[in-house]
Amino acid sequence: MADIAKIKAADKKIGAFVNFKNGSKNELFSGAIKDNLVTTNLPTTCSSKMLEKFISPYEATVIKKLHEAKLNWIGKTNLDEFAMGSSTENSAFGVTKNPWDLTRVPGGSSGGSAAAVAAGMVDWALGSDTGGSIRQPAAFCGVVGLKPTYGRVSRYGLIAMASSLDQIGPITRNVKDAAKLLKIIAGQDKMDATSVDKPVENYEKSLLDDIKGLRIGVPKEYFGKGLDPEIKKKVEEAIKVLEKQGVKVVPIPLPRTAYAISVYYIIQPAEASTNLSRYDGIKYGFSDQSGKDLLSVYLNSRSKGFGEEVKRRIILGTYVLSAGYRDAYYKKATKVRKLIRQDFDEAFKKVDIIATPTTPTTAFKIGEKSENPLEMYLSDVYACSANLSGNPAISVPCGFDKNKLPIGLQLIADHFEERKLLNVAYTYEQNRGFDIEYPKFV
Amino acid sequence: MITKADLDNVASLARLKIATKDEKDYLAKLSQILEYMQDLAKVDVKKIKEPVDIFERNSVVRADKIFKPEIGQKELLQNAPVVEGGQIKVKKVL
């Protein structure tokens, strides 16, 4: 869009942004930042009352890297509070709307980032993906969303939700821009001990490589009950497009797929409940000093500062870690997680890339799932396995359903095979036979 | 499955207050989620050794050198609600 005033006017309809930078100009190739990445020049709210006024004393590594690469960003985008959600309805600062249909959700938790890119307010955005939070909103909004390998991008300055699952990645209009952004933000960082010492490749340069002869694995577990038939058809057509480019399609088993949501919703709340114990009304964030003693400051600050879904997950996480339940839930889940990883490792001995739908349905109506958390959790059924196993995965638009709502093709690669992943995604995008127009929401 | 006593215990451990009017809703939603997770009981995990290591990495230890932090006391305290004499002040513990 031409200028900031127009972006702000468009955002009155979409609600993608939490805060705009003062005096920001819309330069060529401008972006936006999910509001759980810390910045020193704007508040970092995590879309929570808890951090409404929080100004970070330091910058996230990815923000520094964007600055070094001279990439301009104009503001911070809305998310489900503390990135807990799949619809961007659980924000203390309002619901973000899907630019393709304003009565529907943009997905989540990086819903503000995906909606801002889809609506053409920015060319790119950064999101974070703990259980599908980049790829699911990218699929719902008809844009590209990349979750890199766990350890590929430094998490320093990403407000921790579930530390063994969180990863920062780009949301863009096309695969080429995703490759460009990944090259900028990737790399080992001394401030994140889980970032890995592997060379950052020139992802853009290898987009044009020939994919002839590559093997694409198709797991039947991702095409069964619960998948919208229109999505099934479009994803199968997308796989045929790749076949025409010379790839070999191989059926593969991913037998533990059915357990991914259970494992995810034990490990993620368990880690979140410990990570969020730091919000105590003492060091930073919302503080209620009305009680007489220290304990009442903890209780009142946390109970009033956190929203409902965050509290539910802290309770769930504390429960699965508590004496008497830890072995049956948390320990068991970590072991099944290992089996899920082994399933992927086995699959990648036989194939180069795995192709699946990103989501079982297209964007749902605002309010449709907000009273049923389990149903909401199931919208990440195809996305969260790659977080549990740490594999890189991308969602690329592969068509629309009868309601003109976008559909996403998910491609998954072996650890640190982003070059191959982007190469296949780009080849698909160039040969799919259509362009993604801008939604006419205005 | 999850009882009111469980909920009270866990809420207290998590330093959260659950209003009486919300208890029923918490119990219903958490029970539904925990019920869904029962399918994990079927999975055979005997071959998985403890401790479980998903990413198969060695412990990471940085070089033993003084590491100059980029921010100081002033910045660290800038978000604290109650500060006195350069220190965070809290209410009485006992």
Side-chain angles (χ1 to χ4, degrees):
Chain A
M1 275 181 205
D3 58 52
I4 293 292
K6 276 192 183 162
I7 292 172
K8 285 185 178 173
D11 199 48
K12 288 214 160 61
K13 294 194 172 84
I14 305 290
F17 284 85
V18 177
N19 278 304
F20 285 97
K21 253 197 222 171
N22 273 338
S24 61
K25 287 183 225 133
N26 191 26
E27 295 167 16
L28 215 59
F29 206 58
S30 279
I33 307 294
K34 187 176 182 180
D35 207 15
N36 61 350
L37 288 161
V38 299
T39 50
T40 50
N41 54 356
L42 272 186
T44 301
T45 68
C46 264
S47 290
S48 178
K49 189 179 170 190
M50 184 60 90
L51 291 177
E52 190 171 1
K53 296 183 179 112
F54 175 73
I55 308 268
S56 172
Y58 68 97
E59 268 183 340
T61 297
V62 290
I63 302 292
K64 283 186 183 159
K65 283 177 176 261
L66 291 174
H67 185 70
E68 283 160 16
K70 297 188 169 54
L71 276 197
N72 174 55
W73 55 271
I74 62 166
K76 308 282 293 278
T77 54
N78 202 16
L79 60 146
D80 287 291
E81 185 180 0
F82 282 100
M84 294 183 201
S86 312
S87 66
T88 319
E89 292 169 291
N90 300 326
S91 161
F93 309 118
V95 177
T96 301
K97 297 174 183 84
N98 190 316
W100 293 96
D101 178 346
L102 300 178
T103 68
R104 291 177 189 269
V105 303
S109 64
S110 312
S113 288
V117 175
M121 292 191 264
V122 288
D123 298 303
W124 57 268
L126 291 189
S128 66
D129 192 316
T130 306
S133 279
I134 286 174
R135 290 159 288 149
Q136 184 255 25
F140 279 10
C141 290
V143 292
V144 172
L146 170 67
K147 182 200 85 75
T149 310
Y150 183 78
R152 179 69 292 180
V153 177
S154 167
R155 292 181 295 112
Y156 183 63
L158 167 64
I159 292 184
M161 200 256 267
S163 308
S164 79
L165 300 160
D166 295 340
Q167 192 62 198
I168 301 164
I171 294 176
T172 54
R173 295 200 65 81
N174 55 57
V175 176
K176 195 174 178 190
D177 290 347
K180 180 176 177 164
L181 261 296
L182 180 64
K183 187 165 185 287
I184 292 168
I185 63 172
Q188 196 185 25
D189 177 13
K190 66 174 188 284
M191 301 305 284
D192 174 6
T194 62
S195 65
V196 172
D197 181 19
K198 291 238 181 205
V200 176
E201 295 167 286
N202 190 342
Y203 306 107
E204 258 186 289
K205 204 178 157 199
S206 48
L207 292 177
L208 293 167
D209 290 356
D210 194 352
I211 66 165
K212 205 171 167 191
L214 289 187
R215 297 150 304 165
I216 305 286
V218 180
K220 66 173 185 315
E221 293 85 353
Y222 283 68
F223 292 83
K225 202 179 141 216
L227 176 62
D228 179 333
E230 281 190 89
I231 296 180
K232 185 168 184 271
K233 187 166 165 273
K234 292 290 178 190
V235 171
E236 284 168 351
E237 283 171 17
I239 293 166
K240 286 205 179 86
V241 169
L242 287 171
E243 236 176 334
K244 274 196 188 144
Q245 297 305 309
V247 305
K248 190 170 176 254
V249 174
V250 184
I252 50 153
L254 286 173
R256 276 77 166 217
T257 299
Y259 305 112
I261 287 285
S262 292
V263 171
Y264 179 80
Y265 278 97
I266 291 170
I267 291 174
Q268 180 272 315
E271 293 187 15
S273 73
T274 56
N275 272 327
L276 270 62
S277 65
R278 70 190 66 172
Y279 304 102
D280 54 6
I282 305 294
K283 301 180 288 292
Y284 42 75
F286 178 80
S287 183
D288 183 325
Q289 298 276 333
S290 63
K292 281 187 189 138
D293 55 9
L294 184 61
L295 181 63
S296 59
V297 177
Y298 294 156
L299 285 167
N300 293 332
S301 302
R302 289 169 63 78
S303 303
K304 291 177 190 169
F306 289 135
E308 284 312 305
E309 180 63 19
V310 172
K311 282 193 263 193
R312 183 156 43 242
R313 293 204 201 181
I314 292 174
I315 295 276
L316 181 59
T318 310
Y319 179 81
V320 299
L321 288 173
S322 63
Y325 300 105
R326 187 173 174 271
D327 285 2
Y329 289 103
Y330 182 71
K331 248 187 177 178
K332 181 77 188 242
T334 58
K335 289 181 178 177
V336 181
R337 179 181 183 183
K338 183 79 178 179
L339 290 171
I340 291 172
R341 162 100 207 236
Q342 288 176 353
D343 283 352
F344 276 100
D345 290 349
E346 276 305 307
F348 285 116
K349 285 178 188 162
K350 298 183 197 92
V351 299
D352 298 282
I353 296 287
I354 294 171
T356 77
T358 308
T359 58
T361 68
T362 50
F364 45 87
K365 290 268 186 190
I366 290 167
E368 190 182 323
K369 297 182 195 238
S370 45
E371 267 312 295
N372 189 333
L374 181 60
E375 212 176 290
M376 183 78 86
Y377 298 171
L378 289 169
S379 71
D380 288 319
V381 63
Y382 302 140
C384 73
S385 290
N387 299 83
L388 294 168
S389 63
N391 290 76
I394 192 168
S395 180
V396 186
C398 68
F400 290 84
D401 72 1
K402 60 178 182 299
N403 297 318
K404 271 292 276 174
L405 296 169
I407 295 171
L409 162 73
Q410 177 175 241
L411 300 169
I412 309 169
D414 204 354
H415 285 230
F416 298 101
E417 289 287 358
E418 279 86 353
R419 193 193 51 73
K420 207 188 272 178
L421 180 69
L422 288 158
N423 178 204
V424 172
Y426 181 79
T427 308
Y428 166 70
E429 183 185 61
Q430 296 307 302
N431 291 286
R432 71 186 165 194
F434 63 91
D435 288 324
I436 301 283
E437 308 290 330
Y438 286 98
K440 294 176 180 61
F441 63 93
V442 192
Chain B
M1 180 190 309
I2 178 169
T3 63
K4 187 183 169 322
D6 284 330
L7 183 63
D8 289 346
N9 174 42
V10 169
S12 151
L13 289 170
R15 299 287 185 259
L16 287 171
K17 276 198 284 196
I18 308 289
T20 314
K21 68 172 175 50
D22 297 330
E23 276 174 5
K24 217 174 130 185
D25 188 56
Y26 267 91
L27 287 171
K29 285 174 179 163
L30 291 170
S31 294
Q32 189 198 12
I33 296 162
L34 292 167
E35 177 71 35
Y36 179 82
M37 290 166 180
Q38 294 310 307
D39 62 348
L40 289 186
K42 290 183 287 192
V43 188
D44 180 358
V45 292
K46 280 200 283 292
K47 284 188 185 151
I48 304 297
K49 288 195 191 89
E50 289 184 57
V52 183
D53 175 11
I54 299 297
F55 299 112
E56 291 150 8
R57 275 174 212 156
N58 296 321
S59 169
V60 181
V61 183
R62 69 170 172 84
D64 188 19
K65 281 189 204 153
I66 292 173
F67 184 61
K68 194 173 171 285
E70 53 180 296
I71 50 174
Q73 186 194 33
K74 185 173 157 270
E75 292 81 15
L76 279 170
L77 293 176
Q78 75 186 24
N79 288 287
V82 195
V83 175
E84 203 175 288
Q87 300 192 52
I88 292 173
K89 187 180 174 185
V90 296
K91 287 182 188 273
K92 64 176 182 184
V93 177
L94 295 170

